[in-house]
Amino acid sequence: MDRFGEIFSMLMAPLWNHPERMQKLSRFLMRCFAIMLVIGVLVWLSQRPIFELKQIQIEPVAGQTLKHINKPTVKQQVLQTVQGNFFSVRLEDIKRGFESMPWVRHANVRRVWPNGLVVSIEEQKPFGTWGGTDSHTLMNTHGELFAGRVSEVSDEIRLIDFYGPSDAGKEVMSLYEKATAWFKPWDVEIKSLALTDRYAWHVKLSNGMKVEFGRDEESSDKNLTEERVARLFKYWPQVQEKWANRVDAVDLRYANGFAVHLASASVKKNDEDGKKSEQKQ
């Protein structure tokens, strides 16, 4: 009981009766004051005009040149819309803003002391059209769709014509890569590839032939389409021997064979008449 009374008396006694406790409290309050003073100075400095964003450097990622990004226009747009200064600006917001622009696939933003930003841009690499040449949608080399027009693409780039559901870009690219490998022995290229809403697909080759593959989901055998292509190659010499170059379409949707479609006689006759008229001239 006496011990409890001593503790109670010590707690209730005035603080100034205990010099050691007074010293500890004083040191604690001085530290708090110093921290608040430093924070206040830093806040004051961060709001000085020298830290207002005035410079934005736009550069391509390594191995690229920017062909579709108007640097002066983009810089002006960013400087007019960006909020905050060197310290308070949200880099993620600027990154999203750049990536929402046409022809920008990815953007990386970093600060440059004391009032600048550097934006590294990965520009879209167009690989094909999506929905026809009049469409305002293109597909890049990763199977991703983006807003763009054929007129904006260099004439040196040969675009593939792709068709399919809006969320099937990567799948269409995968099918394109498969078909390219399959028909490499024929020394032809894929000119167009279409995937229907039911996920049946076909390609148009550079020799003018159309090849129907149907739906891969029709069989649990993942190699079924490859087997049908192999069958086509196996018997193709016989087809050529019988119909020469008259085949303009092949249908591989049959389980035990394939069907061929011959160019119409009228088309062939028109071609022959045209050749004869040229010879006469």
Side-chain angles (χ1 to χ4, degrees):
M1 192 69 180
D2 293 339
R3 181 63 178 171
F4 176 78
E6 291 177 2
I7 296 175
F8 180 78
S9 299
M10 183 180 65
L11 292 175
M12 297 301 295
L15 187 62
W16 49 81
N17 289 340
H18 303 276
E20 293 182 359
R21 292 166 62 186
M22 281 287 293
Q23 290 178 1
K24 291 181 180 180
L25 179 61
S26 298
R27 288 195 293 268
F28 174 76
L29 293 175
M30 288 297 294
R31 291 192 186 101
C32 291
F33 175 77
I35 292 173
M36 294 177 64
L37 181 62
V38 170
I39 292 175
V41 171
L42 291 177
V43 171
W44 180 81
L45 286 175
S46 67
Q47 296 175 347
R48 297 304 89 198
I50 189 175
F51 297 114
E52 293 180 2
L53 293 175
K54 298 178 181 178
Q55 300 178 7
I56 295 183
Q57 179 181 344
I58 299 176
E59 62 183 21
V61 297
Q64 270 197 355
T65 57
L66 299 180
K67 301 178 181 179
H68 303 279
I69 306 297
N70 189 316
K71 292 184 181 180
T73 302
V74 171
K75 287 181 182 179
Q76 190 64 25
Q77 289 177 351
V78 174
L79 288 173
Q80 290 176 353
T81 58
V82 69
Q83 296 181 351
N85 57 22
F86 178 83
F87 296 101
S88 61
V89 65
R90 293 175 58 87
L91 299 185
E92 190 62 30
D93 291 344
I94 298 179
K95 171 183 170 69
R96 283 195 295 265
F98 271 97
E99 290 180 346
S100 67
M101 297 179 180
W103 289 95
V104 177
R105 181 171 184 258
H106 286 310
N108 181 54
V109 186
R110 66 180 187 274
R111 295 180 175 89
V112 176
W113 181 266
N115 54 14
L117 296 173
V118 173
V119 183
S120 299
I121 292 179
E122 179 188 352
E123 198 171 68
Q124 298 280 12
K125 292 183 179 179
F127 187 73
T129 64
W130 188 267
T133 55
D134 295 331
S135 172
H136 294 169
T137 303
L138 301 176
M139 188 168 77
N140 64 20
T141 53
H142 301 275
E144 301 164 345
L145 306 183
F146 66 96
R149 301 185 180 185
V150 175
S151 58
E152 299 174 303
V153 181
S154 170
D155 294 336
E156 299 175 357
I157 299 177
R158 184 184 65 84
L159 296 176
I160 313 298
D161 293 328
F162 294 107
Y163 304 84
S166 59
D167 60 346
K170 291 186 179 297
E171 182 167 356
V172 167
M173 176 60 75
S174 176
L175 294 174
Y176 169 82
E177 292 173 350
K178 289 181 180 179
T180 298
W182 290 340
F183 290 101
K184 189 174 182 180
W186 278 7
D187 194 25
V188 294
E189 298 177 346
I190 308 299
K191 299 289 290 184
S192 69
L193 188 153
L195 181 68
T196 69
D197 292 336
R198 299 187 63 187
Y199 284 80
W201 62 293
H202 65 264
V203 298
K204 187 75 174 290
L205 305 179
S206 56
N207 60 6
M209 184 184 302
K210 178 181 178 181
V211 182
E212 291 272 4
F213 294 99
R215 296 175 59 190
D216 289 340
E217 293 81 1
E218 292 176 355
S219 173
S220 59
D221 186 355
K222 296 183 179 180
N223 296 321
L224 178 59
T225 304
E226 294 184 14
E227 291 177 1
R228 292 177 178 178
V229 173
R231 184 188 300 129
L232 171 66
F233 288 167
K234 179 179 179 180
Y235 293 102
W236 187 248
Q238 300 177 27
V239 174
Q240 286 290 83
E241 183 180 350
K242 186 172 183 179
W243 290 295
N245 295 319
R246 295 175 57 193
V247 178
D248 65 356
V250 177
D251 192 340
L252 300 180
R253 293 176 292 180
Y254 297 90
N256 300 314
F258 58 87
V260 297
H261 181 272
L262 304 181
S264 62
S266 60
V267 174
K268 184 179 180 182
K269 184 177 184 302
N270 290 336
D271 292 341
E272 291 177 351
D273 292 342
K275 291 179 181 179
K276 290 179 180 179
S277 61
E278 291 177 358
Q279 293 175 353
K280 291 180 179 179
Q281 292 176 358

